[in-house]
Amino acid sequence: MRLIQLSEIDSSMIDLVGGKAAGLGAMVRAGERVPDGFCLTVESYRSRRLPERELIDAYERLGGGRVAVRSSATAEDLPAASFAGQQDTYLDVEGAGPLVEAVRSCWDSLYTERAVAYRAAAGIDDAAMAVVVQRMIDPAVAGVLFTAHPITGCRAEMVVDAAPGLGTSVVDGTVVPDHYVIRHDAPAAPDGAGCLGRDQLEGLRQAGRRLQELFGSPQDVEWAIDADGTLWLLQSRPITTLFPAPPDTGDTRLYLEFGHLQGMLRPTTPMGVSLLKLGAGMWFEAVGARVDPRDPLPRLVPIGGRLYYDLTDFVRNAAMRRRLRTSLQVYGPRVQGAVERVLDDPRFAPRRGLPFRPRSVVKVTARLAPAAVAGLARSLARPATARARAYRAVAEIRRRTAPPSTSATPAERLRWVIEDSHRAVMSPDMMGLVWPLTAGILAGAAPSWLLDGVASEEELDVVLGGMPHNVTTEMDLALWRIAVNARAHRDLFLGSPPEELATRHLQGELPDIGMSGFLDRYGMRAAAEIDVGMPRWAEDPAPLFATIANYLRVDDPEQAPDRRFGRAAERAERMVETLSRRARRARPVRGRLATFFMRRSRELTGLREIGKFAWLPAIQAARRQLLLIGDDLVSGGLLERADDIMFLDLFEARAAVHDRADHRGLVAARRGEYERELRRPTVPGALLSDGTDVEALAPRGPVEAGVLTGMAGAAGRATGRARVIRDPAGAYIEPGEILVAPTTDPGWTPLFLTTAGLVTETGSPVAHGPTVAREYGIPAVICVRDATREIETGQLITIDGAAGTVRIEENP
């Protein structure tokens, strides 16, 4: 079929007619007013033979005269990619010759540089081109209608941009259009003079509601109103840039994204969320709290695969809302400011009642308080003994995380994952590990209060440099030692792709540089490692070989990571002595206390990473069992790949194992959504239940030219070439470059050993990235909005970790 009328097209025919024509056909079938026309299908494009006679005959049956010739690619107007303006449209085409030429030009536009780049960015490998031919409308006014606010994400609002004449002037940005914001649930009322009246806006509002219901998602609609006042719908496609909306609870809710506190902005797999909730529920049960087995942590809500916390009940509590401003400092100024704006919203006015059961809090406190007091006191009194206790706890947790035998059935493996995989690590005090860890955090925070007015934040940051006893730092330095061993084979490790080196290592074909021993201890780690769906380094050590290649490029002995770390430790010890003398002169009692806590901080604060480190063996063991279950489901024809099980939750996996439920369709849909979300460049820090990105409501303040403002992460200044990296897997960074990233977690930290500084778009002063940066003595600026887009690889930048600024010195 090479030619087809729009009235004969339905939405299932997208592979034949392309996205634009499929949308137009669906609108025609739904009774919407669409200009008459036809589609030249992809069959002609693929054959590279244009049926000129059929095309001209169809044009003449349409009445001849002026027509619009519009591209309709198979990868166009999709939920994940709009291709707005990427392929060509030709208006006011008249006559057989110009029509044929316009169709050929539409075909050619599929492979323009911009269209190819767009497809690559959207992860689309192939596409074909159909062409729509429609009668031209002579509009008195035209424009674009968004059925959700494209900037704030609010699903309760529509946005209309309109201008006299053809709508291309609005789409192309060549005019300043009239701008209207209207509510979904209220009759439209224009503000002041404009090219649209009340009735016209109301017609657009109603059309927008119909189209959103027809297509099942917020729509970007092109429209025109002719001289007779008739509304014509020219196109409807999904708004692809919107962040997914939270679940509809029938109430206005506030959700706070907290993945970035763990240095994680990539989506979490459904199994990852399910296992996180399982582990949290196990801990709450262990301390005496009541939990719902179907959803042990209901306030933890996955939205777009990211982990959000429902803060609504705390915001609506009169006593707690007063303390939120202080407690949210850890989230950074943007999120803190967003929540402060919500406090003035009447929908979040205080209500009676507490956001938790007082009886449960009393019960948990009574159970934990005695052990907490004793554990903290012992840790501060005898830090070396406390550290030894923490390391013994890690070893014991690992020993007790014993998976079932190799002969276990899938049902037995799943039972172990659900009932036993987290039992050891989720004991109330993690076998005594929690109290040394907590003591270290308190000891690290106390000097800031005790030395207020005596020591600067930059000086206190120096005290935290070169911090010993941090498992992540120890891991990074162990990897550096492996790189030293690899120097004897420098050409091999620098000249081979990391993926090839990983394969050869797993096959036992590489020289022994100590990688096997490293993976025995650290192989359960990875980027985004709290997600059981993520492959571990033991499965895929390619990122480690990429980092080793980076280390092999360090030519200056003084820039060797172990020496840099040693210098940071020496500066820290000198600073402790300096501040101790200064504080004792200024405030004798406080000075002695501050000195005590600075010393204890040097002995205990490094343990802050050990809690998650102790948890990772349970996640790794659960992952191995789930993959074995996945293998069985593949053999039974219930999954396509073993790791498809990571796109189910535990209850769905149970249905597959026990009831042989076929989840292949569900998995395919979730995997597609997950891969689309991986490409999302930004994630809202604070989100309302109607989809509003609260940060987007705030006007940007005055900004100095060439300066990006964020938040202090680690003190110090550095100037160097920027290296923008969005994923640490296979990342390449030259010694002395400044790492610019969306966020960082322990999977990123091996890169820190050769970087001159760190810039991230999100984060918290207590998150992994800035903490490890302080320990290495490198400056860090966090919470720099759009840093990975505003800064380009190769630009010379200067970062000030104390002031929280990034200055762009020159273009690349």
Side-chain angles (χ1 to χ4, degrees), residues 263-286:
M264 180 176 170
L265 279 186
R266 63 181 296 143
T268 305
T269 61
M271 186 61 74
V273 175
S274 191
L275 200 65
L276 284 171
K277 290 197 172 198
L278 173 84
M282 197 170 287
W283 184 85
F284 280 113
E285 283 186 317

PDB file of all heavy atoms in Angstrom, residues 263-286:
ATOM      1  N   GLY A 263      23.982  10.025  45.692  1.00  0.00           N
ATOM      2  CA  GLY A 263      24.700  10.210  44.445  1.00  0.00           C
ATOM      3  C   GLY A 263      24.096   9.417  43.311  1.00  0.00           C
ATOM      4  O   GLY A 263      24.804   8.909  42.445  1.00  0.00           O
ATOM      5  N   MET A 264      22.762   9.296  43.291  1.00  0.00           N
ATOM      6  CA  MET A 264      22.113   8.437  42.308  1.00  0.00           C
ATOM      7  C   MET A 264      20.935   9.166  41.689  1.00  0.00           C
ATOM      8  O   MET A 264      19.942   9.420  42.364  1.00  0.00           O
ATOM      9  CB  MET A 264      21.646   7.148  42.991  1.00  0.00           C
ATOM     10  CG  MET A 264      20.951   6.171  42.077  1.00  0.00           C
ATOM     11  SD  MET A 264      20.567   4.651  42.962  1.00  0.00           S
ATOM     12  CE  MET A 264      19.519   3.842  41.776  1.00  0.00           C
ATOM     13  N   LEU A 265      21.062   9.493  40.408  1.00  0.00           N
ATOM     14  CA  LEU A 265      19.953  10.114  39.696  1.00  0.00           C
ATOM     15  C   LEU A 265      19.402   9.232  38.584  1.00  0.00           C
ATOM     16  O   LEU A 265      18.357   9.540  38.025  1.00  0.00           O
ATOM     17  CB  LEU A 265      20.380  11.462  39.102  1.00  0.00           C
ATOM     18  CG  LEU A 265      20.387  12.637  40.066  1.00  0.00           C
ATOM     19  CD1 LEU A 265      20.689  13.929  39.321  1.00  0.00           C
ATOM     20  CD2 LEU A 265      19.071  12.776  40.793  1.00  0.00           C
ATOM     21  N   ARG A 266      20.093   8.149  38.256  1.00  0.00           N
ATOM     22  CA  ARG A 266      19.577   7.256  37.234  1.00  0.00           C
ATOM     23  C   ARG A 266      18.360   6.520  37.802  1.00  0.00           C
ATOM     24  O   ARG A 266      18.209   6.399  39.019  1.00  0.00           O
ATOM     25  CB  ARG A 266      20.642   6.264  36.766  1.00  0.00           C
ATOM     26  CG  ARG A 266      21.140   5.325  37.822  1.00  0.00           C
ATOM     27  CD  ARG A 266      22.208   4.395  37.267  1.00  0.00           C
ATOM     28  NE  ARG A 266      21.674   3.528  36.235  1.00  0.00           N
ATOM     29  CZ  ARG A 266      22.351   3.168  35.148  1.00  0.00           C
ATOM     30  NH1 ARG A 266      23.577   3.606  34.950  1.00  0.00           N
ATOM     31  NH2 ARG A 266      21.812   2.370  34.245  1.00  0.00           N
ATOM     32  N   PRO A 267      17.464   6.037  36.953  1.00  0.00           N
ATOM     33  CA  PRO A 267      16.294   5.331  37.474  1.00  0.00           C
ATOM     34  C   PRO A 267      16.685   4.038  38.172  1.00  0.00           C
ATOM     35  O   PRO A 267      17.709   3.424  37.853  1.00  0.00           O
ATOM     36  CB  PRO A 267      15.464   5.053  36.216  1.00  0.00           C
ATOM     37  CG  PRO A 267      16.447   5.099  35.092  1.00  0.00           C
ATOM     38  CD  PRO A 267      17.470   6.113  35.485  1.00  0.00           C
ATOM     39  N   THR A 268      15.870   3.645  39.119  1.00  0.00           N
ATOM     40  CA  THR A 268      16.039   2.380  39.824  1.00  0.00           C
ATOM     41  C   THR A 268      15.113   1.346  39.200  1.00  0.00           C
ATOM     42  O   THR A 268      13.970   1.653  38.866  1.00  0.00           O
ATOM     43  CB  THR A 268      15.697   2.549  41.319  1.00  0.00           C
ATOM     44  OG1 THR A 268      16.492   3.613  41.859  1.00  0.00           O
ATOM     45  CG2 THR A 268      15.967   1.280  42.101  1.00  0.00           C
ATOM     46  N   THR A 269      15.585   0.131  39.035  1.00  0.00           N
ATOM     47  CA  THR A 269      14.748  -0.909  38.459  1.00  0.00           C
ATOM     48  C   THR A 269      13.600  -1.249  39.418  1.00  0.00           C
ATOM     49  O   THR A 269      13.722  -1.055  40.634  1.00  0.00           O
ATOM     50  CB  THR A 269      15.554  -2.182  38.179  1.00  0.00           C
ATOM     51  OG1 THR A 269      16.093  -2.667  39.422  1.00  0.00           O
ATOM     52  CG2 THR A 269      16.678  -1.924  37.197  1.00  0.00           C
ATOM     53  N   PRO A 270      12.483  -1.774  38.906  1.00  0.00           N
ATOM     54  CA  PRO A 270      11.384  -2.173  39.799  1.00  0.00           C
ATOM     55  C   PRO A 270      11.822  -3.156  40.876  1.00  0.00           C
ATOM     56  O   PRO A 270      11.381  -3.057  42.027  1.00  0.00           O
ATOM     57  CB  PRO A 270      10.373  -2.796  38.834  1.00  0.00           C
ATOM     58  CG  PRO A 270      10.608  -2.084  37.539  1.00  0.00           C
ATOM     59  CD  PRO A 270      12.091  -1.875  37.476  1.00  0.00           C
ATOM     60  N   MET A 271      12.687  -4.107  40.515  1.00  0.00           N
ATOM     61  CA  MET A 271      13.165  -5.033  41.541  1.00  0.00           C
ATOM     62  C   MET A 271      14.033  -4.308  42.563  1.00  0.00           C
ATOM     63  O   MET A 271      14.018  -4.635  43.761  1.00  0.00           O
ATOM     64  CB  MET A 271      13.943  -6.177  40.894  1.00  0.00           C
ATOM     65  CG  MET A 271      14.370  -7.271  41.873  1.00  0.00           C
ATOM     66  SD  MET A 271      12.982  -8.104  42.697  1.00  0.00           S
ATOM     67  CE  MET A 271      12.363  -9.131  41.352  1.00  0.00           C
ATOM     68  N   GLY A 272      14.791  -3.316  42.104  1.00  0.00           N
ATOM     69  CA  GLY A 272      15.601  -2.540  43.032  1.00  0.00           C
ATOM     70  C   GLY A 272      14.750  -1.825  44.058  1.00  0.00           C
ATOM     71  O   GLY A 272      15.056  -1.827  45.260  1.00  0.00           O
ATOM     72  N   VAL A 273      13.651  -1.204  43.612  1.00  0.00           N
ATOM     73  CA  VAL A 273      12.736  -0.535  44.541  1.00  0.00           C
ATOM     74  C   VAL A 273      12.113  -1.553  45.497  1.00  0.00           C
ATOM     75  O   VAL A 273      12.031  -1.335  46.710  1.00  0.00           O
ATOM     76  CB  VAL A 273      11.628   0.211  43.768  1.00  0.00           C
ATOM     77  CG1 VAL A 273      10.606   0.803  44.735  1.00  0.00           C
ATOM     78  CG2 VAL A 273      12.228   1.303  42.895  1.00  0.00           C
ATOM     79  N   SER A 274      11.692  -2.678  44.948  1.00  0.00           N
ATOM     80  CA  SER A 274      11.028  -3.699  45.755  1.00  0.00           C
ATOM     81  C   SER A 274      11.956  -4.220  46.855  1.00  0.00           C
ATOM     82  O   SER A 274      11.548  -4.383  48.005  1.00  0.00           O
ATOM     83  CB  SER A 274      10.578  -4.845  44.841  1.00  0.00           C
ATOM     84  OG  SER A 274       9.727  -5.740  45.507  1.00  0.00           O
ATOM     85  N   LEU A 275      13.224  -4.452  46.517  1.00  0.00           N
ATOM     86  CA  LEU A 275      14.158  -4.976  47.505  1.00  0.00           C
ATOM     87  C   LEU A 275      14.534  -3.918  48.536  1.00  0.00           C
ATOM     88  O   LEU A 275      14.726  -4.228  49.721  1.00  0.00           O
ATOM     89  CB  LEU A 275      15.413  -5.511  46.807  1.00  0.00           C
ATOM     90  CG  LEU A 275      16.256  -6.497  47.625  1.00  0.00           C
ATOM     91  CD1 LEU A 275      15.484  -7.777  47.887  1.00  0.00           C
ATOM     92  CD2 LEU A 275      17.562  -6.810  46.920  1.00  0.00           C
ATOM     93  N   LEU A 276      14.631  -2.647  48.110  1.00  0.00           N
ATOM     94  CA  LEU A 276      14.882  -1.571  49.065  1.00  0.00           C
ATOM     95  C   LEU A 276      13.768  -1.503  50.113  1.00  0.00           C
ATOM     96  O   LEU A 276      14.023  -1.371  51.314  1.00  0.00           O
ATOM     97  CB  LEU A 276      14.984  -0.229  48.340  1.00  0.00           C
ATOM     98  CG  LEU A 276      16.267   0.078  47.580  1.00  0.00           C
ATOM     99  CD1 LEU A 276      16.097   1.334  46.749  1.00  0.00           C
ATOM    100  CD2 LEU A 276      17.428   0.243  48.543  1.00  0.00           C
ATOM    101  N   LYS A 277      12.536  -1.597  49.648  1.00  0.00           N
ATOM    102  CA  LYS A 277      11.406  -1.539  50.578  1.00  0.00           C
ATOM    103  C   LYS A 277      11.378  -2.767  51.474  1.00  0.00           C
ATOM    104  O   LYS A 277      11.056  -2.662  52.668  1.00  0.00           O
ATOM    105  CB  LYS A 277      10.100  -1.411  49.790  1.00  0.00           C
ATOM    106  CG  LYS A 277       9.931  -0.071  49.108  1.00  0.00           C
ATOM    107  CD  LYS A 277       8.486   0.158  48.697  1.00  0.00           C
ATOM    108  CE  LYS A 277       8.273   1.577  48.191  1.00  0.00           C
ATOM    109  NZ  LYS A 277       6.866   1.982  48.181  1.00  0.00           N
ATOM    110  N   LEU A 278      11.710  -3.913  50.923  1.00  0.00           N
ATOM    111  CA  LEU A 278      11.760  -5.124  51.729  1.00  0.00           C
ATOM    112  C   LEU A 278      12.762  -4.976  52.867  1.00  0.00           C
ATOM    113  O   LEU A 278      12.469  -5.285  54.029  1.00  0.00           O
ATOM    114  CB  LEU A 278      12.146  -6.314  50.843  1.00  0.00           C
ATOM    115  CG  LEU A 278      12.400  -7.627  51.588  1.00  0.00           C
ATOM    116  CD1 LEU A 278      11.090  -8.356  51.826  1.00  0.00           C
ATOM    117  CD2 LEU A 278      13.368  -8.520  50.825  1.00  0.00           C
ATOM    118  N   GLY A 279      13.971  -4.489  52.536  1.00  0.00           N
ATOM    119  CA  GLY A 279      14.991  -4.324  53.559  1.00  0.00           C
ATOM    120  C   GLY A 279      14.587  -3.321  54.616  1.00  0.00           C
ATOM    121  O   GLY A 279      14.775  -3.552  55.820  1.00  0.00           O
ATOM    122  N   ALA A 280      14.009  -2.187  54.182  1.00  0.00           N
ATOM    123  CA  ALA A 280      13.560  -1.181  55.150  1.00  0.00           C
ATOM    124  C   ALA A 280      12.482  -1.749  56.056  1.00  0.00           C
ATOM    125  O   ALA A 280      12.498  -1.541  57.282  1.00  0.00           O
ATOM    126  CB  ALA A 280      13.037   0.047  54.414  1.00  0.00           C
ATOM    127  N   GLY A 281      11.532  -2.486  55.479  1.00  0.00           N
ATOM    128  CA  GLY A 281      10.470  -3.084  56.280  1.00  0.00           C
ATOM    129  C   GLY A 281      11.003  -4.076  57.293  1.00  0.00           C
ATOM    130  O   GLY A 281      10.524  -4.148  58.442  1.00  0.00           O
ATOM    131  N   MET A 282      12.037  -4.824  56.907  1.00  0.00           N
ATOM    132  CA  MET A 282      12.638  -5.794  57.817  1.00  0.00           C
ATOM    133  C   MET A 282      13.262  -5.089  59.020  1.00  0.00           C
ATOM    134  O   MET A 282      13.162  -5.553  60.165  1.00  0.00           O
ATOM    135  CB  MET A 282      13.672  -6.615  57.054  1.00  0.00           C
ATOM    136  CG  MET A 282      14.087  -7.892  57.725  1.00  0.00           C
ATOM    137  SD  MET A 282      15.093  -8.926  56.616  1.00  0.00           S
ATOM    138  CE  MET A 282      13.833  -9.502  55.478  1.00  0.00           C
ATOM    139  N   TRP A 283      13.906  -3.929  58.764  1.00  0.00           N
ATOM    140  CA  TRP A 283      14.519  -3.194  59.879  1.00  0.00           C
ATOM    141  C   TRP A 283      13.442  -2.629  60.803  1.00  0.00           C
ATOM    142  O   TRP A 283      13.559  -2.718  62.026  1.00  0.00           O
ATOM    143  CB  TRP A 283      15.397  -2.060  59.347  1.00  0.00           C
ATOM    144  CG  TRP A 283      16.125  -1.350  60.459  1.00  0.00           C
ATOM    145  CD1 TRP A 283      17.308  -1.710  61.013  1.00  0.00           C
ATOM    146  CD2 TRP A 283      15.685  -0.183  61.167  1.00  0.00           C
ATOM    147  NE1 TRP A 283      17.652  -0.835  62.023  1.00  0.00           N
ATOM    148  CE2 TRP A 283      16.672   0.112  62.140  1.00  0.00           C
ATOM    149  CE3 TRP A 283      14.568   0.638  61.079  1.00  0.00           C
ATOM    150  CZ2 TRP A 283      16.560   1.193  63.001  1.00  0.00           C
ATOM    151  CZ3 TRP A 283      14.465   1.712  61.946  1.00  0.00           C
ATOM    152  CH2 TRP A 283      15.444   1.987  62.897  1.00  0.00           C
ATOM    153  N   PHE A 284      12.387  -2.036  60.227  1.00  0.00           N
ATOM    154  CA  PHE A 284      11.329  -1.475  61.071  1.00  0.00           C
ATOM    155  C   PHE A 284      10.669  -2.557  61.923  1.00  0.00           C
ATOM    156  O   PHE A 284      10.346  -2.333  63.088  1.00  0.00           O
ATOM    157  CB  PHE A 284      10.285  -0.765  60.205  1.00  0.00           C
ATOM    158  CG  PHE A 284      10.703   0.613  59.778  1.00  0.00           C
ATOM    159  CD1 PHE A 284      10.953   0.894  58.436  1.00  0.00           C
ATOM    160  CD2 PHE A 284      10.877   1.625  60.704  1.00  0.00           C
ATOM    161  CE1 PHE A 284      11.354   2.160  58.035  1.00  0.00           C
ATOM    162  CE2 PHE A 284      11.276   2.894  60.320  1.00  0.00           C
ATOM    163  CZ  PHE A 284      11.518   3.166  58.977  1.00  0.00           C
ATOM    164  N   GLU A 285      10.466  -3.720  61.348  1.00  0.00           N
ATOM    165  CA  GLU A 285       9.902  -4.822  62.131  1.00  0.00           C
ATOM    166  C   GLU A 285      10.844  -5.223  63.256  1.00  0.00           C
ATOM    167  O   GLU A 285      10.411  -5.524  64.371  1.00  0.00           O
ATOM    168  CB  GLU A 285       9.634  -6.023  61.228  1.00  0.00           C
ATOM    169  CG  GLU A 285       8.386  -5.875  60.367  1.00  0.00           C
ATOM    170  CD  GLU A 285       8.068  -7.135  59.596  1.00  0.00           C
ATOM    171  OE1 GLU A 285       9.008  -7.747  59.055  1.00  0.00           O
ATOM    172  OE2 GLU A 285       6.885  -7.498  59.550  1.00  0.00           O
ATOM    173  N   ALA A 286      12.158  -5.208  62.974  1.00  0.00           N
ATOM    174  CA  ALA A 286      13.135  -5.614  63.972  1.00  0.00           C
ATOM    175  C   ALA A 286      13.147  -4.678  65.178  1.00  0.00           C
ATOM    176  O   ALA A 286      13.462  -5.106  66.299  1.00  0.00           O
ATOM    177  CB  ALA A 286      14.531  -5.681  63.343  1.00  0.00           C
TER     178      ALA A 286
END
